[in-house]
Amino acid sequence: MTEKSTVRSVTYDLLRSLGLTTVFGNPGSTEQTFLQEFPADFTYVLALQEASVIAMADAFAQVTKHPALVNVHSSAGVGNALGNLVAAYHGNTPLIVTSGQQHREMVIGEPYLSNREATTFPKPWVKWSYEPVRAEDVPEAFMKAYAMALQPPAGPVYLSIPLDDWNQPLAGPARVRTVSDRVVPDPRRLRQFADRISASRRPALVFGPDVDRSGGWDGAVALAEKLRAAVYGAPLSDRASFPEDHRLFRGPLGLSMKAISERLTGHDLVVVIGAEVFRYYPYVPGPYLPDGTDLLQITADPAVAAGARVGDSLLGDPRAAIELLLDSVADGSERTAPEPMARPKQLPEVPSSPLTPPEVYAILSKVRPADAVIVNESTSTMAQQIEWLPTTETGSFFATASGGIGWGTPAAVGVALGDRHRGVARPVIGLIGDGSFQYSVQAIWTAAQHNLPIVYVVMRNEEYSILKSFAVLEQTPGVPGLDLPGLDIGAIARGFGCRAVDVKTTEDLEREFQAALAAGTTTVIVVPTEPQQAML
């Protein structure tokens, strides 16, 4: 407790106790009473726009496996943040998002910068939204926010705090509590699931992003190998939960009802762990499952279980469930192992100009360090990334969980800051489309300011390729606004303080990528590429 104990001093002591000493933010006038005399033992990470703030904190929390604290401006600032708050919500990332509110004595008159209906504004993309009734409730509100964010299903929460609350006198210390962040599955129902899996003739496993998030990567490999089961990647997964070069891996499951049903044909049982059933994108009608196929789902999220269109569900932490299943399922050594996935890896006989995405990925597969982490927001080339740059280690692949773009560029910053925070040194590769790069381009300023070891590879095809592919699928010709001529991405990157180079050949890309790895700071490599139709 300080000499003059206030709401602010008591809250900062609580934040220290909870390990929340890194604040991601973009300050505004109504937040300055919280940020005044910023403590030397805290770190403030400045981003130049609130959407970038959220994505940085999101990735930082995922890497550190600990809730992250965010401070954005009231009202309009919260509005800017909402797009990437959707990603944090879908990605089950524990964030405590705070914003200021106008002085309590003025709020009734709705003054300039007041946060109108503050607790309603961020819904439905937070688990809990609250504005303390009294100034003295602020520390306890933070404690509850921490508990809500961390408990399964984890996710973002929101606090609106009037600017005059922070300097109010308050005796401390705040009450500190601990909460569990895992729920084990019901033993009886798990035993029933294990028996059904053991009796399956040709099971398929679908591991979703929550497996990797829960630390279940090694268990997933062990379970697949014990069952001799084919493994598929969950649709539109924002984390990889199984080594994509493993002999049992059969690639992504697909994005539509028709594609997924066709992919699962021949399996009598599908076991989905840590994922929705299913995360569909284009509407291509078909059965939810092939005839003769049953489905079991294990998830920590009751809403995900309730929303499944087919199958039987079990609530529980994915890692805990996998480890319990390992001890319960029968050995599958008598099953016929699935055929390895075909990996054609075809390249043009003569180098293209501009390069094709596979040519870019082929070079990156050659020069990528083994410990590199990938953040992907090149939405039209993700299938080629899995083919050429398979994820082989836990916690080394990140993508947006929401489908909205503008997450990947700042998320790479959050990954690098998270690694630095936990004392890990590994390069971060941001694979970003030229359209995606524009949404949160200001995030590279933060990367440059912190000298982060990020190599952004921006594939410049001068269009929104994913949207053109969707237009073909949905038979909607003549959609405007899908071309992106005239962007000088290298000049933009240099303007934000980054190293930037434009390359045209595979030799140039290889040389400049290796130079970027040795640069000790952030580099943006711009590669003109041929447009291609995405695999939907």
Side-chain angles (χ1 to χ4, degrees):
M1 192 164 62
T2 60
E3 284 186 21
K4 180 186 176 184
S5 185
T6 63
V7 168
R8 180 184 171 280
S9 65
V10 172
T11 301
Y12 269 99
D13 286 341
L14 172 66
L15 296 176
R16 289 185 181 93
S17 299
L18 298 176
L20 297 171
T21 58
T22 299
V23 182
F24 291 85
N26 183 274
S29 55
T30 54
E31 290 72 45
Q32 289 184 353
T33 46
F34 167 59
L35 298 171
Q36 63 184 314
E37 301 296 338
F38 195 68
D41 59 329
F42 277 64
T43 300
Y44 189 86
V45 178
L46 173 63
L48 301 184
Q49 206 263 7
E50 291 90 349
S52 291
V53 170
I54 295 289
M56 289 178 193
D58 182 346
F60 181 87
Q62 291 192 56
V63 168
T64 60
K65 300 182 180 179
H66 190 76
L69 181 60
V70 176
N71 185 243
V72 298
H73 198 20
S74 64
S75 193
V78 178
N80 288 340
L82 279 178
N84 279 331
L85 196 60
V86 176
Y89 182 85
H90 281 298
N92 299 127
T93 304
L95 299 181
I96 302 172
V97 181
T98 67
S99 76
Q101 173 63 292
Q102 265 285 14
H103 197 288
R104 285 183 181 271
E105 292 187 11
M106 296 172 61
V107 167
I108 192 170
E110 297 192 10
Y112 191 64
L113 297 180
S114 64
N115 204 354
R116 187 176 183 183
E117 296 189 33
T119 60
T120 302
F121 195 15
K123 293 178 179 179
W125 304 115
V126 292
K127 291 179 62 180
W128 183 57
S129 184
Y130 186 68
E131 185 174 278
V133 176
R134 308 176 304 165
E136 53 264 46
D137 294 334
V138 169
E140 191 167 352
F142 269 89
M143 185 66 249
K144 183 174 179 179
Y146 179 85
M148 291 288 291
L150 194 58
Q151 291 180 106
V157 298
Y158 172 75
L159 294 176
S160 169
I161 305 168
L163 65 86
D164 54 314
D165 282 7
W166 294 106
N167 291 326
Q168 297 301 314
L170 181 66
R175 290 185 295 272
V176 180
R177 304 173 53 245
T178 61
V179 294
S180 173
D181 62 353
R182 294 183 187 273
V183 177
V184 297
D186 172 63
R188 181 172 173 272
R189 190 163 178 82
L190 183 81
R191 178 70 256 178
Q192 294 171 349
F193 274 39
D195 290 344
R196 291 175 66 179
I197 294 169
S198 296
S200 171
R201 301 182 311 279
R202 191 166 180 252
L205 295 171
V206 179
F207 292 123
D210 287 341
V211 172
D212 195 48
R213 262 192 282 274
S214 68
W217 175 286
D218 291 338
V221 174
L223 181 63
E225 292 178 347
K226 183 173 184 178
L227 294 173
R228 299 188 82 183
V231 176
Y232 297 91
L236 298 165
S237 197
D238 49 291
R239 296 278 289 266
S241 294
F242 192 84
E244 293 171 342
D245 61 348
H246 194 282
R247 66 184 185 280
L248 295 174
F249 184 65
R250 303 291 298 156
L253 195 55
L255 303 181
S256 68
M257 290 179 283
K258 182 176 185 292
I260 291 173
S261 179
E262 289 177 350
R263 201 86 165 88
L264 294 174
T265 298
H267 294 291
D268 59 335
L269 181 67
V270 179
V271 184
V272 180
I273 305 179
E276 300 167 39
V277 178
F278 287 102
R279 191 178 272 179
Y280 300 116
Y281 178 32
Y283 177 68
V284 183
Y288 294 120
L289 289 173
D291 289 339
T293 303
D294 292 330
L295 185 142
L296 302 175
Q297 179 196 35
I298 300 174
T299 174
D301 190 337
V304 168
R309 308 293 293 274
V310 66
D312 301 320
S313 297
L314 170 64
L315 290 175
D317 176 74
R319 175 181 175 179
I322 288 171
E323 291 173 349
L324 291 167
L325 284 175
L326 267 171
D327 294 332
S328 305
V329 296
D331 183 85
S333 57
E334 295 183 359
R335 293 190 183 100
T336 300
E339 292 292 325
M341 182 177 69
R343 300 177 185 269
K345 291 190 174 183
Q346 294 180 347
L347 294 174
E349 293 183 6
V350 178
S352 302
S353 181
L355 298 176
T356 63
E359 287 176 294
V360 173
Y361 283 139
I363 291 299
L364 296 182
S365 70
K366 178 181 177 181
V367 296
R368 172 185 63 165
D371 62 343
V373 57
I374 287 177
V375 179
N376 190 316
E377 198 168 275
S378 174
T379 53
S380 64
T381 69
M382 293 187 79
Q384 286 75 33
Q385 187 241 298
I386 293 174
E387 182 179 358
W388 290 95
L389 294 170
T391 302
T392 59
E393 298 290 339
T394 183
S396 62
F397 172 82
F398 298 88
T400 179
S402 71
I405 59 177
W407 184 89
T409 302
V413 177
V415 170
L417 287 170
D419 280 348
R420 183 174 290 177
H421 180 83
R422 64 195 182 108
V424 172
R426 58 178 180 167
V428 178
I429 304 172
L431 303 174
I432 314 293
D434 53 350
S436 293
F437 196 66
Q438 307 312 310
Y439 275 67
S440 299
V441 66
Q442 71 286 127
I444 63 175
W445 177 86
T446 306
Q449 291 294 308
H450 290 266
N451 287 317
L452 297 177
I454 304 172
V455 183
Y456 289 106
V457 179
V458 182
M459 283 181 270
R460 179 84 177 98
N461 60 19
E462 300 193 358
E463 66 178 30
Y464 291 121
S465 282
I466 189 70
L467 296 181
K468 287 192 173 183
S469 299
F470 198 84
V472 171
L473 178 70
E474 295 292 330
Q475 299 180 14
T476 54
V479 175
L482 302 186
D483 293 310
L484 299 171
L487 289 172
D488 191 341
I489 293 172
I492 293 170
R494 284 185 284 271
F496 280 113
C498 293
R499 290 183 68 253
V501 292
D502 292 271
V503 302
K504 292 184 178 180
T505 68
T506 55
E507 293 81 8
D508 291 343
L509 176 58
E510 181 173 352
R511 181 186 66 254
E512 293 297 346
F513 188 89
Q514 290 173 332
L517 291 175
T521 188
T522 302
T523 299
V524 176
I525 301 176
V526 185
V527 191
T529 56
E530 289 185 5
Q532 65 169 35
Q533 188 168 337
M535 300 173 64
L536 296 174

